[in-house]
Amino acid sequence: PCEPNPRGREHGIARGIALTRSGRRHPMFDGCLQTFDGCAAHTDHVAASWAAAPVCRPGVEAEVLASNDFTPVQGLAVRIDGGEFWSVQYHPELDLGEIARLMRMPASRSLLVEQGEYSSEEELLRYSRDLEALAADPSNLEL
């Protein structure tokens, strides 16, 4: 079950995504570090109560593969009818520059400020510039 994350929006960088024991053995994470960061942009998540003890309908199995302190399910495998579906909460298809550009779109800017993610448009723009700077120079530890 999915629900609004009571901690609010995980946006920009999802820090400290850690593979579970199952995740360390799963082919989706083959070659990944045991703990890593990923791009994020979401306000919902899989319910923490379900993540602690996944319960599915008969014939369906689910296994949590990764989590972090903000979101209890960052990676998931679901098996049904002999097939397996893999899912992640973070956004591996995006890079920091793309997250920054998406943040600056007029609809995104106003929504992020209205929802209280940023205190002002100036703060949002400053953070988006930091994301772009980090994308350009990942070794910049000050960001």
Side-chain angles (χ1 to χ4, degrees), residues 21-94:
R21 180 177 301 171
S22 297
R24 289 190 292 273
R25 295 188 310 266
H26 197 276
M28 178 168 62
F29 292 108
D30 188 38
C32 285
L33 298 172
Q34 289 189 24
T35 302
F36 58 94
D37 298 334
C39 291
H42 53 264
T43 56
D44 57 352
H45 71 161
V46 173
S49 59
W50 183 89
V55 176
C56 301
R57 66 179 172 82
V60 179
E61 296 176 23
E63 193 168 27
V64 177
L65 303 175
S67 65
N68 69 355
D69 290 339
F70 201 90
T71 304
V73 178
Q74 288 282 0
L76 184 68
V78 177
R79 287 176 288 286
I80 184 171
D81 295 329
E84 186 167 296
F85 168 76
W86 303 348
S87 177
V88 294
Q89 178 75 40
Y90 64 98
H91 288 278
E93 76 280 10
L94 299 175

Side-chain angles (χ1 to χ4, degrees), residues 79-119:
R79 287 176 288 286
I80 184 171
D81 295 329
E84 186 167 296
F85 168 76
W86 303 348
S87 177
V88 294
Q89 178 75 40
Y90 64 98
H91 288 278
E93 76 280 10
L94 299 175
D95 65 28
L96 294 175
E98 291 168 315
I99 291 280
R101 287 186 290 282
L102 289 170
M103 289 174 67
R104 289 195 304 269
M105 293 176 65
S108 297
R109 273 198 322 250
S110 59
L111 180 67
L112 290 168
V113 173
E114 285 172 17
Q115 289 181 340
E117 181 67 24
Y118 300 93
S119 61

